[in-house]
């Protein structure tokens, strides 16, 4: 029993925290310790107890304990099996489950830690290996740009290598938001995808399994996605609330964001929404993100394209929107910067709206202004009077044609 306790403490120190890994530990103990205990009992019955037998017992017990732990650690870090019982996150992917907000690390209290520790995990089966859920650092801190993680698996695939980590700050493609890119262990990360809670990074070169690697995001790309996604939430929430419609489609492209609504919305009405959205941004409201489930979820009035079950991540822009979402967002509305609608056109039973937010919107307006200045200079008018100058030139050309 003392040996079992000591090994258990050392085992926890290694960080292997899952029911399955503890089961393996107990089975290995049962075989080795049980076998040696049986041998010792027979020895005592036949020859009695002496100081020499105790001196003989101590080194043998130390050797058995060391061999058990080394074999067990090898089992968990072996290439191709390293993620079979991967370390579960000290911060749950659904922090709300243990009564804390999404920006707080779980495990602050012993009861929360124990519930987290023994909670059942989900994962994915990949090429015969079971992978526990990846710890999603981008939910804990969307502004985290660099991190360290352990490589659990690395398999060759078309165009690169599929790498699984025990935790990651790289956001995978999902919810209409593109994936992050960057560098992992000095190797380019070109794609990131998620299946059953396991995040896979497509890398340009292999990474050593069991080693700790340093990751760095393309922050400009990530923050752009955060601005576009948060800007879309603010505008969609205001539109749905005013016109009683639904957001039935969302796509974040490389140039702009498109949103589909099942209502007829005019350009003038859209300009009113744009003013309200920018006012909301300037007021710099804090954004609230929580996980809900069951009865708690039923009490929340949120937007969603389909019924949801289990742990649901609710992103709330107080006074503007409340929506189920798995994407990354800013922490205050002021970080969106501004929003600008580009167009609205008839689409199916409603309309499709084109939107820019943040730096994209600023860049677009700056380009339009630069072009307007050049036109104004050519017409010898002020930039804010360029349209009047164009009308004048067109009228002069029309008069010349009539002569």
């Amino acid at each position: 029993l003392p040996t079992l306790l000591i090994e258990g403490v050392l085992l926890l120190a290694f960080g292997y925290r899952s029911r399955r890994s503890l089961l393996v530990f107990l089975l290995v103990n049962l075989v080795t310790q049980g076998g040696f205990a049986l041998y010792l009992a027979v020895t005592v019955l036949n020859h009695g107890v002496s100081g020499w037998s105790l001196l003989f017992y101590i080194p043998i017990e130390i050797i058995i304990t060391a061999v058990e732990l080394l074999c067990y650690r090898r089992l968990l870090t072996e290439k191709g099996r390293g993620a079979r019982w991967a370390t579960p996150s000290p911060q749950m992917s659904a922090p709300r489950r243990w009564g804390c907000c999404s920006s707080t690390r779980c495990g602050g209290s012993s009861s929360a830690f124990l519930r987290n520790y023994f909670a059942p995990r989900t994962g994915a089966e990949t090429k015969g290996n079971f992978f526990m859920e990846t710890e999603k650092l981008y939910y804990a801190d969307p502004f985290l740009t660099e991190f360290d993680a352990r490589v659990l698996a690395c398999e060759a695939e078309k165009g690169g290598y599929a790498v699984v980590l025990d935790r990651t700050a790289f956001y995978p493609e999902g919810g209409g938001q593109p994936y992050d890119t960057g560098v992992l262990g000095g190797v380019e990360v070109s794609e990131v995808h998620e299946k059953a809670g396991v995040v896979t990074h497509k890398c340009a070169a292999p990474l050593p399994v069991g080693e700790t690697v340093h990751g760095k995001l393309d922050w400009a790309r990530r923050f752009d996605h955060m601005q576009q996604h948060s800007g879309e939430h603010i505008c969609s929430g205001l539109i749905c609330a005013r016109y009683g419609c639904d957001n039935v489609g969302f796509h974040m492209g490389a140039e702009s964001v498109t949103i589909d609504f099942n209502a007829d919305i005019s350009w003038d009405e859209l300009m009113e929404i744009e003013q309200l959205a920018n006012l909301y941004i300037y007021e710099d409201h804090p954004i609230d993100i929580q996980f809900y489930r069951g009865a708690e979820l039923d009490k929340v009035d949120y937007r969603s394209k389909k019924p949801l079950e289990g742990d649901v991540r609710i992103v709330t822009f107080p006074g503007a929107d409340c929506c189920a979402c798995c994407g990354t967002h800013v922490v205050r509305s002021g970080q969106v910067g501004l929003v600008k609608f580009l167009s609205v056109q008839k689409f199916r039973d409603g309309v499709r709206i084109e939107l820019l937010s943040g730096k994209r919107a600023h860049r677009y307006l700056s380009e339009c202004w630069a072009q307007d200045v050049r036109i104004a200079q050519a017409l010898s008018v002020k930039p804010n009077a360029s349209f009047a100058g164009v009308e004048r030139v067109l009228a002069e050309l029309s008069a010349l044609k009539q002569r």
Side-chain angles (χ1 to χ4, degrees):
L1 289 178
T3 303
L4 183 63
L5 179 61
I6 293 172
E7 290 181 7
V9 172
L10 293 175
L11 187 62
L12 293 179
F14 284 153
Y16 303 122
R17 304 169 180 170
S18 75
R19 286 180 174 177
R20 192 185 297 243
S21 62
L22 289 176
L23 179 60
V24 172
F25 164 70
L26 292 175
L27 289 176
V28 172
N29 248 276
L30 180 62
V31 174
T32 56
Q33 298 292 351
F36 186 69
L38 180 61
Y39 165 77
L40 187 63
V42 172
T43 302
V44 170
L45 289 174
N46 292 335
H47 306 286
V49 180
S50 68
W52 291 108
S53 62
L54 291 177
L55 290 175
F56 175 76
Y57 169 82
I58 292 173
I60 292 297
E61 183 61 40
I62 292 175
I63 293 173
I64 290 177
T65 301
V67 170
E68 283 177 353
L69 291 175
L70 289 175
C71 291
Y72 183 76
R73 191 172 190 181
R74 175 61 179 171
L75 172 67
L76 295 176
T77 58
E78 184 179 356
K79 183 176 180 181
R81 298 181 181 179
R84 181 166 293 180
W85 299 292
T87 308
S89 163
Q91 174 194 330
M92 296 287 288
S93 59
R96 177 73 181 182
R97 181 180 302 169
W98 308 132
C100 59
C101 68
S102 61
S103 60
T104 304
R105 286 192 175 275
C106 290
S109 66
S110 58
S111 60
F113 170 79
L114 290 174
R115 286 195 297 270
N116 183 16
Y117 181 88
F118 290 105
R121 305 288 176 173
T122 58
E125 193 79 22
T126 305
K127 295 186 179 181
N129 296 317
F130 185 80
F131 294 86
M132 302 303 293
E133 279 195 10
T134 307
E135 180 183 351
K136 299 171 178 61
L137 301 176
Y138 47 81
Y139 281 161
D141 181 6
F143 284 84
L144 181 66
T145 60
E146 297 187 38
F147 67 101
D148 293 315
R150 187 163 59 92
V151 179
L152 301 180
C154 180
E155 299 287 346
E157 65 174 11
K158 185 177 180 180
Y161 294 84
V163 175
V164 176
L165 306 174
D166 62 342
R167 61 183 197 154
T168 185
F170 285 91
Y171 179 80
E173 184 177 29
Q177 180 175 326
Y179 47 73
D180 290 334
T181 59
V183 177
L184 189 59
V187 175
E188 179 186 1
V189 177
S190 58
E191 296 180 20
V192 186
H193 301 281
E194 179 183 7
K195 181 179 180 181
V198 177
V199 179
T200 303
H201 311 72
K202 186 173 184 179
C203 298
L207 295 176
V209 174
E211 296 295 322
T212 297
V213 293
H214 185 73
K216 185 176 182 179
L217 277 65
D218 180 343
W219 173 243
R221 176 183 172 91
R222 156 67 78 77
F223 189 62
D224 171 59
H225 293 165
M226 289 165 60
Q227 287 186 316
Q228 306 311 312
H229 209 156
S230 296
E232 179 271 327
H233 271 249
I234 294 171
C235 293
S236 291
L238 294 173
I239 290 173
C240 291
R242 170 168 288 199
Y243 301 107
C245 59
D246 299 311
N247 177 331
V248 295
F250 164 64
H251 175 70
M252 188 187 300
E255 299 297 329
S256 65
V257 171
T258 57
I259 322 170
D260 301 334
F261 295 95
N262 55 0
D264 188 15
I265 304 171
S266 68
W267 178 254
D268 290 339
E269 291 172 328
L270 204 59
M271 290 297 97
E272 293 179 11
I273 296 295
E274 181 178 289
Q275 290 184 8
L276 292 175
N278 281 310
L279 177 60
Y280 184 86
I281 291 170
Y282 303 154
E283 291 172 346
D284 197 27
H285 296 269
I287 312 307
D288 180 64
I289 302 178
Q290 303 279 356
F291 283 85
Y292 296 89
R293 70 179 305 163
E296 286 185 335
L297 181 62
D298 295 337
K299 298 176 183 178
V300 181
D301 183 17
Y302 65 97
R303 293 191 300 112
S304 179
K305 296 181 178 66
K306 60 182 181 180
L308 300 173
E309 297 179 350
D311 295 307
V312 179
R313 185 170 181 261
I314 303 296
V315 178
T316 304
F317 291 79
D321 187 41
C322 182
C323 182
C325 180
C326 61
T328 56
H329 292 274
V330 298
V331 297
R332 302 189 68 91
S333 63
Q335 294 167 339
V336 175
L338 77 155
V339 294
K340 180 62 186 173
F341 289 116
L342 301 185
S343 66
V344 57
Q345 56 185 327
K346 184 69 177 177
F347 183 75
R348 295 177 181 172
D349 296 330
V351 295
R352 170 166 288 180
I353 293 171
E354 190 176 11
L355 170 71
L356 294 180
S357 301
K359 192 173 181 178
R360 289 193 195 187
H362 179 265
R363 182 171 59 246
Y364 175 82
L365 293 175
S366 296
E367 291 173 352
C368 289
W369 175 255
Q371 181 174 263
D372 199 31
V373 168
R374 295 179 63 184
I375 294 173
Q377 290 174 344
L379 298 176
S380 299
V381 298
K382 293 182 178 180
N384 60 355
S386 58
F387 180 68
V390 171
E391 285 185 318
R392 174 176 57 80
V393 171
L394 291 176
E396 292 174 352
L397 289 175
S398 179
L400 289 175
K401 289 181 180 179
Q402 292 177 359
R403 290 180 181 178

